[in-house]
Amino acid sequence: MKRHVVLIGLPGAGKTTVGRLVAEQLHAGFVDIDTVLIRKEGKPIAMVFAEKGEPAFREMERKEVEAALANQPAVIVPGGGWAAQPGALETAKSAAYVIYLIATLETATARALPSGTRPVLMGGDSEAQMKELLKAREPFYKQAHTSVHTEGRTAEQVAGDVVRLAQTSAGW
């Protein structure tokens, strides 16, 4: 029986890029939670964060992930902070195969910065902020079913590993 594939990791770990490739290769749906929220709210995530605050954003994110998990098996990519929310991983792991995409702090920071849409990295020393995020979130990320290293690898190579894991462990 097919299970969802949920990709977790730091902002800039490659979740969205890899997730799209994986969904394409598996002929699966792709659910980027940030994109869903941008469409529903009619504004960028940074604005939602600024106007409603992080707790309200995380609640909206949780509801969208739960809605995606209730649908046909797909590749689901929540934001980097979703996994650190109470109960989020436990809920997902019952219906999905959760994979932690591991990137170094330097790589994740470099990838995350150009977009300017990462509210948790705005205003200050981005590498120091990313280090704090990793410290707070890594204990949650490590609760994933498995992990895939992204360092020094193309998105296609990482996606290939995720596809193989989906095929061997998630029924694809």
Side-chain angles (χ1 to χ4, degrees):
M1 187 165 116
K2 286 183 187 175
R3 296 169 67 199
H4 296 280
V5 175
V6 175
L7 301 179
I8 63 173
L10 286 172
K15 299 179 299 291
T16 300
T17 301
V18 169
R20 277 195 184 102
L21 292 169
V22 170
E24 186 177 296
Q25 291 176 40
L26 293 176
H27 305 288
F30 176 67
V31 183
D32 180 350
I33 300 301
D34 280 356
T35 300
V36 171
L37 291 172
I38 289 166
R39 188 175 58 245
K40 283 192 171 183
E41 293 295 311
K43 56 187 84 163
I45 295 299
M47 284 183 68
V48 176
F49 239 75
E51 292 173 6
K52 296 187 176 186
E54 186 171 0
F57 172 79
R58 295 296 176 203
E59 178 62 17
M60 293 165 37
E61 183 180 49
R62 182 190 63 74
K63 287 179 180 174
E64 292 304 330
V65 172
E66 288 176 3
L69 290 170
N71 287 319
Q72 292 294 315
V75 177
I76 303 171
V77 178
W82 167 82
Q85 302 311 304
L89 279 172
E90 293 80 3
T91 299
K93 285 173 73 175
S94 67
Y97 192 69
V98 180
I99 302 171
Y100 169 26
L101 296 186
I102 301 174
T104 65
L105 284 171
E106 298 77 21
T107 298
T109 302
R111 288 181 187 157
L113 282 182
S115 70
T117 60
R118 321 278 179 149
V120 293
L121 295 177
M122 291 182 173
D125 179 349
S126 296
E127 196 160 326
Q129 289 170 314
M130 188 71 83
K131 190 174 189 173
E132 286 303 310
L133 289 178
L134 181 61
K135 183 179 173 184
R137 295 175 179 177
E138 192 170 41
F140 296 96
Y141 293 160
K142 286 184 172 183
Q143 292 175 38
H145 289 104
T146 193
S147 60
V148 173
H149 287 271
T150 65
E151 202 60 34
R153 304 177 71 216
T154 66
E156 290 77 10
Q157 290 169 323
V158 175
D161 284 355
V162 173
V163 166
R164 282 187 287 285
L165 286 166
Q167 291 168 335
T168 58
S169 302
W172 288 89

